Amino acid sequence: RMKHMKADTMKKTIAILAAAATLFTTACNKSEILDPTDQRYIYMSYPESGNPVFNFSFVSTIKETVEIAVPIKFAGRPLTEDLAYAVKVYPGNKDTTLEEGVEYELPEMIFHKEDFRDTIFVTIHKTDRMETGTYNLKFSLESNDNFHATQTGFLEAELRVTAQISKPSWWTQNVIDFYLGGYSDKKFKLFSQNIFVGDYGELDDSEKQYYALKFKYWLEDQTPPVKDEDGTLMKVAIQG
């Protein structure tokens, strides 16, 4: 009878161990299958909805080096630590593409844990050839171990950079007659660097008046007085 009891006990022990092993294996398998919410999906956050192009002109600044901000976001499980993400740079014609290390530098690709948003700050260096042309840099987000890059239409960015000066379409006869006076590359450059950057033509009349007067007073404060390209004193049309 003692032998039967030992045999029954052994059978029960083996059954319990087998059940435990099954539960352990099941738990392990479940832990390897991540819920969709455990994934992270990275994508571009374009300032202009759906537009992957970022334009920059050195005409608007006296700086020789600038940073262009490209916002990015992710959806999914919040970060508990800083994690690396990946980008791919598209090679292009050397005559139209910014040169790595000379005209542009990409930062370390780290998404910081504080938020669902971050920024790729691309450093751009002005070079002589930008005075006569526009140059670009194309890159896209790529999947890696930390982030999935699968949101088609929100993965690419293109930077277009120039230092070329040309008369903007908004410098119309109305602007000549009532606000900024005659056009010259030098006047446009000074106005852009010191007073206003953007589409002057989109402003309402009071805003145009404000910036034109601000430019007028700025010119009057310069010592020695600013001369235009034809050698005459630079002036504007607005009175006040």
Side-chain angles (χ1 to χ4, degrees):
R1 185 171 180 180
M2 207 57 185
K3 287 182 180 178
H4 284 304
M5 287 178 67
K6 285 184 178 179
D8 289 342
T9 303
M10 281 290 289
K11 287 178 182 177
K12 287 179 181 177
T13 303
I14 291 170
I16 291 169
L17 289 173
T22 302
L23 287 170
F24 179 77
T25 302
T26 303
C28 286
N29 289 340
K30 282 185 177 179
S31 69
E32 291 169 3
I33 302 172
L34 292 175
D35 187 272
T37 56
D38 287 330
Q39 307 290 341
R40 299 186 182 96
Y41 298 87
I42 194 169
Y43 57 96
M44 298 284 183
S45 177
Y46 304 126
E48 296 179 35
S49 181
N51 184 5
V53 177
F54 294 76
N55 290 294
F56 178 78
S57 173
F58 276 100
V59 173
S60 64
T61 180
I62 59 174
K63 295 178 180 179
E64 297 289 312
T65 296
V66 298
E67 287 184 336
I68 297 179
V70 180
I72 56 175
K73 292 182 179 180
F74 82 90
R77 183 160 47 100
L79 297 181
T80 56
E81 60 182 330
D82 295 349
L83 289 179
Y85 59 93
V87 302
K88 174 186 176 182
V89 175
Y90 291 95
N93 185 314
K94 66 180 181 179
D95 295 328
T96 61
T97 303
L98 293 170
E99 185 178 349
E100 183 179 8
V102 177
E103 294 173 321
Y104 83 88
E105 296 163 19
L106 290 173
E108 185 179 12
M109 302 300 170
I110 298 293
F111 210 115
H112 299 93
K113 65 181 180 180
E114 289 80 10
D115 204 344
F116 286 88
R117 290 175 283 188
D118 214 318
T119 306
I120 304 173
F121 288 105
V122 184
T123 302
I124 303 292
H125 304 288
K126 182 181 178 182
T127 58
D128 290 342
R129 69 174 186 158
M130 293 177 186
E131 303 271 356
T132 56
T134 300
Y135 300 89
N136 67 4
L137 170 65
K138 291 182 180 180
F139 60 90
S140 67
L141 294 165
E142 296 282 298
S143 295
N144 67 358
D145 291 341
N146 301 320
F147 298 95
H148 294 286
T150 57
Q151 195 162 341
T152 304
F154 291 89
L155 299 177
E156 297 183 354
E158 180 182 353
L159 311 188
R160 296 178 184 172
V161 182
T162 187
Q164 192 171 18
I165 301 175
S166 60
K167 183 179 179 180
S169 59
W170 55 256
W171 205 303
T172 61
Q173 194 61 47
N174 179 266
V175 171
I176 292 172
D177 292 340
F178 300 105
Y179 299 105
L180 299 178
Y183 174 83
S184 71
D185 287 348
K186 183 177 181 179
K187 181 187 282 188
F188 176 42
K189 187 173 183 178
L190 289 174
F191 181 69
S192 298
Q193 290 177 346
N194 297 284
I195 307 300
F196 178 80
V197 178
D199 190 341
Y200 189 80
E202 289 294 315
L203 303 178
D204 61 36
D205 290 345
S206 63
E207 290 172 322
K208 288 177 182 176
Q209 183 180 34
Y210 170 79
Y211 288 114
L213 283 171
K214 189 174 180 180
F215 189 38
K216 178 179 185 292
Y217 301 147
W218 181 87
L219 288 171
E220 291 173 353
D221 287 341
Q222 302 310 300
T223 304
V226 178
K227 291 187 178 182
D228 216 327
E229 292 172 354
D230 61 1
T232 62
L233 288 181
M234 187 174 290
K235 58 185 179 180
V236 294
I238 195 166
Q239 302 296 313

